[in-house]
Amino acid sequence: MAINRPKGTQDHLPDGSPKLSLDTRASAFAFVRETARRVLERAGAQFTDTPLFEEAELVQRGVGGSTDIVRKEMFTVYYFGDHGGFILRPEGTAGLVRSYLQNGLKQLPAPLKLWTHGPMFRAENVQKGRLRQFHQVDYEVLGSADALVDAEAIALMTEVVQALGVRKVKVKLGSIGDPEDREAYNAYLRELFTPHLEALSDDSKDRLGRNPMRILDSKSAQDQALIAELGVRPMLDFLGEGARTHFVQVRRHLDAWGVNYEVDPSIVRGLDYYRRTAWELHHEGVGAKSALGGGGRYDGLAQELGSKEPVPGIGWAFGIERLLLALEAEGVPLPASPGPLLYVAAMDEANVGYAATLARSVRALARAEFAYRAMKPAAAFRDAERRGARFVALIGSQEVEQDSLSLKDLQTGQQVQVPTRDLQGFLGGYLGANPLTPDAPSQPTQENL
Ligand code: HAM
């Protein structure tokens, strides 16, 4: 029997594949990553990477023992003779902060801006936009508690979305206060929900003891009905002086920059490490319950992971698959995948090697392909067209003897005669005059800049 990929995972496929959708198109992932790279690196973020598996305790302590991620969704990694103490990372922040502490990155100029991308793993119920292996673009800033850093992080998130060409995005901004504010809020929630214990879902009965705020985030209709009925006061009402002032400052910066957002007084994030500023980006193409991305400040995380000194931090992550669903919903055109700039085919077996040498000789400059066997002209042009080639050179004994090529431009239909020794110069000149064509695959088209 054939073996299929595990549920909740996707293959990323080359362009032209049958059954291709935008969120399985490898070149679409590359487009998102490259667009994010451009925006984030211009703001000073440096690329960094951490292992796909980490000590389970990192996630238990970092993400938090009361979260769904830790309680229900962790993939445990076993290897022969091992105690099973590793997990596949469900998110990037805990690993990046561990890496920052372990590698002494504190010595680099602060605030230190890092970014990464890659697969994350959560054993969730699979549905549209909710996978077990999904991909994030992740941005983190360490070493500053300044509200200006929060505002810049949120603004950068909107800039990535804009650079991708996605328009209908809502930023929902809130604050979940300092730990003592949350304690006060949790006490309020406990008092409010305890008399209605029977009306809560089993999961939420459990949450009431561990972390009542998580009830507000429940996906159960039963819980949501009770929340509406009780008229629960939002977290924002419980902010202490410090968190309140910080929130006002963040908003002031965002207002000054014209970043659109709406205050969501009851924002609850699904991870425990957050403090103060917390936000999510939503898009109607992805569904109301699923965010395009989210983030927040996590000033206590480094100490949770063993740092003696506090290291303030803040960051966010987008789900790349969800960004692609948003692009699809808005019909945003993606840059076409460029085919080879040059395609060379020999018309007789004796010259197949010569054709290969020619194609290989221009690869420092551009993508070039060749036919692996002799072809008739009609078949060679058909093959070149299927591959999306721009220029085609057919090689017969005449071309070899005269050291001259006849290049056909498949876009204009024009034919040019080029001495073989000038091939590189000709293609170089073409690229110089057409900078947004084949050799720049990650450039977005003009309309989605
Ligand atoms: P998160 O809200 O858990 O935050 O995930 C961020 C984004 O990852 C979500 O908004 C969503 O787009 C995507 N995502 C999450 N789970 C799935 C899934 N099962 N399938 C598809 N996409 C998914 C974090 O992960 C934090 N580390 C963000 C952060 C960085 N906070 C501070 N720094």
Side-chain angles (χ1 to χ4, degrees):
M1 229 175 44
I3 298 175
N4 293 322
R5 62 177 180 273
K7 189 175 167 194
T9 66
Q10 286 182 321
D11 297 314
H12 295 176
L13 302 167
D15 285 0
S17 307
K19 299 188 202 161
L20 192 65
S21 61
L22 198 57
D23 64 341
T24 59
R25 189 173 145 188
S27 64
F29 279 80
F31 170 61
V32 171
R33 285 195 302 265
E34 289 309 311
T35 305
R37 178 193 303 280
R38 207 180 55 236
V39 173
L40 297 177
E41 291 188 352
R42 283 188 191 173
Q46 300 182 70
F47 184 77
T48 177
D49 225 346
T50 61
L52 296 194
F53 66 101
E54 293 270 4
E55 293 274 356
E57 201 181 335
L58 175 81
V59 179
Q60 275 150 7
R61 280 207 247 155
V63 171
S66 73
T67 59
D68 280 357
I69 294 178
V70 167
R71 289 172 57 72
K72 300 186 200 159
E73 298 168 2
M74 296 218 293
F75 280 104
T76 307
V77 179
Y78 291 93
Y79 58 83
F80 187 70
D82 157 61
H83 58 297
F86 299 106
I87 45 94
L88 293 180
R89 64 180 187 189
E91 57 100 53
T93 312
L96 277 171
V97 173
R98 179 209 41 76
S99 168
Y100 175 93
L101 297 172
Q102 187 169 3
N103 296 298
L105 301 192
K106 207 172 173 196
Q107 288 172 26
L108 298 179
L112 182 66
K113 297 173 181 174
L114 303 173
W115 84 280
T116 193
H117 61 75
M120 307 291 162
F121 307 85
R122 298 183 194 177
E124 298 205 62
N125 287 330
V126 178
Q127 47 186 280
K128 186 184 172 200
R130 193 171 294 277
L131 295 160
R132 292 186 172 170
Q133 175 175 326
F134 58 97
H135 298 75
Q136 285 186 345
V137 168
D138 184 297
Y139 168 79
E140 312 287 351
V141 189
L142 291 146
S144 170
D146 200 309
L148 190 53
V149 175
D150 304 35
E152 188 189 25
I154 297 164
L156 279 171
M157 223 175 165
T158 66
E159 282 161 30
V160 170
V161 165
Q162 271 163 21
L164 287 170
V166 179
R167 300 269 170 264
K168 296 173 200 149
V169 171
K170 276 199 185 119
V171 180
K172 294 186 174 184
L173 176 66
S175 171
I176 53 176
D178 286 312
E180 56 276 18
D181 308 336
R182 270 165 84 170
E183 255 169 52
Y185 190 51
N186 275 330
Y188 156 76
L189 292 176
R190 241 178 236 123
E191 201 166 299
L192 185 71
F193 283 114
T194 302
H196 304 276
L197 194 62
E198 287 317 307
L200 286 172
S201 68
D202 286 345
D203 270 351
S204 286
K205 284 190 184 102
D206 191 47
R207 290 176 183 130
L208 193 60
R210 294 169 191 279
N211 188 349
M213 252 181 104
R214 193 106 297 131
I215 297 174
L216 306 180
D217 204 20
S218 166
K219 292 183 185 91
S220 139
Q222 186 186 342
D223 292 341
Q224 287 305 332
L226 182 66
I227 291 163
E229 190 189 316
L230 293 178
V232 180
R233 288 170 64 199
M235 176 68 230
L236 268 192
D237 282 5
F238 287 75
L239 294 191
E241 187 57 33
R244 191 187 311 276
T245 310
H246 187 85
F247 190 51
V248 169
Q249 286 169 344
V250 173
R251 294 188 56 187
R252 201 171 287 150
H253 292 305
L254 290 173
D255 292 340
W257 294 337
V259 175
N260 284 324
Y261 62 88
E262 54 191 62
V263 172
D264 181 345
S266 52
I267 198 151
V268 186
R269 301 273 297 125
L271 306 103
D272 276 354
Y273 48 60
Y274 291 120
R275 285 185 189 184
R276 299 197 168 187
T277 321
W279 68 93
E280 280 180 353
L281 265 64
H282 285 264
H283 189 278
E284 57 196 32
V286 183
K289 289 213 177 104
S290 303
L292 208 54
R297 181 163 276 290
Y298 48 81
D299 295 346
L301 177 58
Q303 279 172 301
E304 203 65 61
L305 300 182
S307 170
K308 290 197 183 70
E309 309 276 303
V311 181
I314 185 167
W316 51 251
F318 277 117
I320 301 185
E321 287 82 356
R322 293 193 187 169
L323 281 171
L324 293 176
L325 290 176
L327 281 164
E328 194 166 42
E330 288 194 23
V332 176
L334 252 69
S337 267
L341 184 61
L342 177 68
Y343 175 92
V344 193
M347 288 179 290
D348 42 70
E349 284 303 328
N351 291 319
V352 170
Y354 182 89
T357 306
L358 261 188
R360 282 166 40 80
S361 75
V362 298
R363 282 187 179 163
L365 204 64
R367 177 171 156 194
E369 295 181 22
F370 58 87
Y372 289 82
R373 58 183 173 80
M375 281 194 175
K376 294 212 163 66
F381 281 120
R382 218 177 308 126
D383 193 40
E385 253 166 48
R386 279 194 68 199
R387 289 167 196 277
R390 181 68 199 249
F391 294 103
V392 179
L394 298 186
I395 309 295
S397 37
Q398 195 185 334
E399 279 74 17
V400 179
E401 274 156 29
Q402 296 177 358
D403 276 335
S404 177
L405 300 168
S406 165
L407 288 183
K408 183 163 181 188
D409 182 335
L410 288 189
Q411 226 165 64
T412 63
Q414 279 171 353
Q415 197 107 5
V416 259
Q417 208 62 34
V418 179
T420 309
R421 62 177 183 287
D422 291 347
L423 180 60
Q424 286 212 22
F426 172 82
L427 295 176
Y430 171 82
L431 284 175
N434 299 278
L436 280 185
T437 43
D439 230 12
S442 58
Q443 297 278 357
T445 50
Q446 211 52 36
E447 63 263 44
N448 57 21
L449 263 177

